[in-house]
């Protein structure tokens, strides 16, 4: 058997034997390749095209487990839903998520972000309030900035008070394009 | 604090080729496929408990060697048909020419010498790592290697 086949087979066997703590694959998107990573609990990390994949995998090895393998099967559902979403054919993701990379206030803020409906936007201040501390606007902003599961946890739907776009890990053009896709950017 | 371990996939990508070459040298091309799976599954099982990451390659080679030994024990035989050896030589340009018959002779060496020679020349391991793989002292590894090479020279002369 060739080396490539042996490696693929190894990934399957490792997954069958419950030895893959973090499975990952890359998926196409209109913005470039995404890196999708999942634990047995659910999606733990999505890397945007602007982010360095190797760095991201090293971080997962350190923070979750070094048993990180390219094992695409576990990501099939996520890949399918993302494809549909980018085509405009899916409004709500129905994927199990693993929140372990966010703690405390950040996790509460991101859970609040996850509840923002498709096509709607909120301000950082509103996210702070939903997370239980209306004054922690800056912390809400940095929670969005550190969102480990962008797109599925839609931090692109969070804007500045007054309507400014704010920031986005994947670059502002991507944020704008996602909002446009969802029909959330209404012309004035 | 220890350096954190790299993602296992990086280890697989970096070392799959040479692990496969060593295993093909040790058990033949066909059985190397199973030994490859056993080697990396065992490595993945033990990986999070590793204390040091400075010699992951030597660690992997050690496991590969053990799997090859287990394989020979299970089959209760010593290898290696000639055709398989030729393909091993194809897989790695720096191995001896297939028609030289060296690897056939290597396969006929006593187990410890065979292992030492394979790890040294197909696995490119230094003496200390060969010793670790064989579970003996570096001196003993050097001796096995030396004896193995001496015997090969005599047979091929």
């Amino acid at each position: 058997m060739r080396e490539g086949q042996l490696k693929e087979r190894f990934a399957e066997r490792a997954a069958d034997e419950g030895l893959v703590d973090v499975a990952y694959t890359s998926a196409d998107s209109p913005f470039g390749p995404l890196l999708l990573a999942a634990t047995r609990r659910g999606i733990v990390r999505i890397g945007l095209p602007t982010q360095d994949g190797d760095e991201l995998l090293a971080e997962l090895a350190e923070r979750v487990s070094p048993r990180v393998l390219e094992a695409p099967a576990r990501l099939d559902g996520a890949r399918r839903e993302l494809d549909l979403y980018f085509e405009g054919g899916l409004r709500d993701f129905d994927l199990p998520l693993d929140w372990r990379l966010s703690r405390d206030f950040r996790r509460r803020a991101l859970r609040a972000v996850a509840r923002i409906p498709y096509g709607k936007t909120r301000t950082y201040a509103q996210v702070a309030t939903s997370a239980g501390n209306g004054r922690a606007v800056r912390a809400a902003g940095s929670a969005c900035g550190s969102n480990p599961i962008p797109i599925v946890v839609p931090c692109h739907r969070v804007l500045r008070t007054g309507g400014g776009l704010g920031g986005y890990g994947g670059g502002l053009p991507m944020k704008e394009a996602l909002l446009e896709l969802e029909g959330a950017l209404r012309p004035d | 604090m220890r350096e954190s371990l790299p993602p296992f996939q990086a280890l697989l990508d970096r070392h799959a080729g040479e692990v496969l070459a060593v295993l093909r040298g040790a058990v033949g091309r066909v059985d190397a496929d199973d030994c490859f799976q056993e080697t990396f599954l065992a490595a993945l099982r033990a990986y999070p408990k590793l204390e040091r990451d400075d010699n992951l390659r030597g660690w992997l080679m050690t496991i590969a060697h053990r799997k090859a030994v287990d394989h020979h024990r299970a089959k209760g035989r010593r290898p290696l048909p000639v055709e398989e050896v030729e393909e091993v030589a194809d897989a790695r340009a720096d191995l001896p020419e297939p028609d030289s018959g060296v690897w056939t002779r290597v396969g006929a060496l006593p187990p410890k010498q065979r292992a030492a020679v394979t790890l040294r020349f197909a696995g490119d391991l230094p003496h200390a790592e060969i010793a670790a793989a064989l579970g003996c002292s570096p001196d003993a590894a050097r001796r096995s290697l030396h004896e193995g090479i001496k015997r090969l020279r005599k047979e091929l002369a």
Side-chain angles (χ1 to χ4, degrees):
Chain A
M1 224 183 272
R2 305 187 76 86
E3 189 185 320
Q5 288 171 285
L6 284 169
K7 281 162 69 175
E8 271 172 37
R9 189 161 171 196
F10 168 68
E12 286 164 19
R13 283 194 60 182
D16 287 348
E17 298 197 17
L19 293 172
V20 182
D21 295 337
V22 180
Y24 74 89
T25 189
S26 89
D28 289 331
S29 86
F31 308 97
L34 303 174
L35 191 141
L36 314 179
T39 64
R40 279 175 284 270
R41 286 185 217 163
I43 308 295
V44 70
R45 190 78 173 88
I46 292 179
L48 298 175
T50 46
Q51 294 168 323
D52 182 330
D54 287 340
E55 235 169 69
L56 209 136
L57 294 173
E59 192 194 320
L60 287 168
E62 192 181 339
R63 294 184 62 188
V64 181
S65 158
R67 283 182 186 149
V68 178
L69 268 190
E70 186 170 358
R74 192 183 290 170
L75 288 314
D76 281 351
R79 189 206 304 270
R80 218 168 15 245
E81 291 201 10
L82 283 163
D83 280 347
L84 273 173
Y85 169 79
F86 290 127
E87 288 166 13
L90 181 95
R91 296 167 64 91
D92 300 306
F93 290 101
D94 183 21
L95 297 167
L97 302 182
D98 182 340
W99 293 94
R100 79 174 85 194
L101 293 178
S102 309
R103 281 169 207 283
D104 306 323
F105 180 80
R106 285 191 173 193
R107 185 183 294 191
R108 291 202 302 279
L110 288 170
R111 281 186 178 275
V113 170
R115 292 191 297 268
I116 305 172
Y118 184 91
K120 303 291 180 196
T121 61
R122 297 284 184 272
T123 63
Y124 293 107
Q126 286 171 320
V127 169
T129 303
S130 310
N133 184 354
R135 281 171 307 171
V137 179
R138 224 170 241 279
S142 84
C144 291
S146 71
N147 178 13
I149 319 174
I151 305 172
V152 174
V153 175
C155 58
H156 59 274
R157 293 176 196 154
V158 188
L159 308 177
R160 284 216 189 107
T161 308
L165 269 183
Y168 195 62
L172 283 182
M174 180 169 173
K175 185 169 188 171
E176 215 164 353
L178 290 175
L179 290 170
E180 203 163 321
L181 167 78
E182 298 184 7
L185 286 184
R186 256 155 274 133
D188 293 326
Chain B
M1 215 180 76
R2 69 176 169 88
E3 281 273 303
S4 50
L5 294 161
F8 193 83
Q9 183 71 39
L11 214 66
L12 181 66
D13 290 340
R14 221 169 282 153
H15 301 300
E18 53 187 334
V19 164
L20 192 56
V22 164
L23 289 172
R24 284 175 178 174
V27 303
R29 192 178 174 94
V30 174
D31 293 335
D33 286 1
D34 281 341
C35 285
F36 178 93
Q37 301 297 338
E38 293 306 319
T39 296
F40 278 101
L41 285 171
L44 183 58
R45 239 174 247 125
Y47 193 50
K49 281 174 250 134
L50 274 196
E51 291 291 330
R52 298 144 53 88
D53 70 341
D54 55 356
N55 191 6
L56 294 172
R57 178 174 173 279
W59 173 71
L60 267 181
M61 291 301 172
T62 306
I63 298 174
H65 170 69
R66 284 203 200 110
K67 292 301 172 192
V69 170
D70 289 352
H71 173 83
H72 285 308
R73 276 201 196 115
K75 292 241 169 167
R77 65 174 176 83
R78 295 225 307 260
L80 297 162
V82 176
E83 320 81 69
E84 297 180 12
V85 175
E86 287 178 354
E87 290 178 277
V88 171
D90 287 344
R92 292 255 309 209
D94 56 336
L95 294 184
E97 287 303 306
D99 56 0
S100 70
V102 169
W103 289 106
T104 316
R105 312 264 178 176
V106 170
L109 289 173
K112 226 158 191 176
Q113 295 177 17
R114 180 182 64 223
V117 169
T118 308
L119 289 171
R120 180 71 193 90
F121 294 104
D124 199 27
L125 287 194
H127 292 121
E129 288 175 25
I130 296 171
L134 299 182
C136 66
S137 71
D139 277 345
R142 208 184 298 267
R143 263 196 310 279
S144 295
L145 181 60
H146 180 73
E147 291 299 316
I149 294 172
K150 203 163 88 185
R151 191 153 162 172
L152 289 172
R153 283 225 174 91
K154 202 153 57 182
E155 287 179 6
L156 292 167

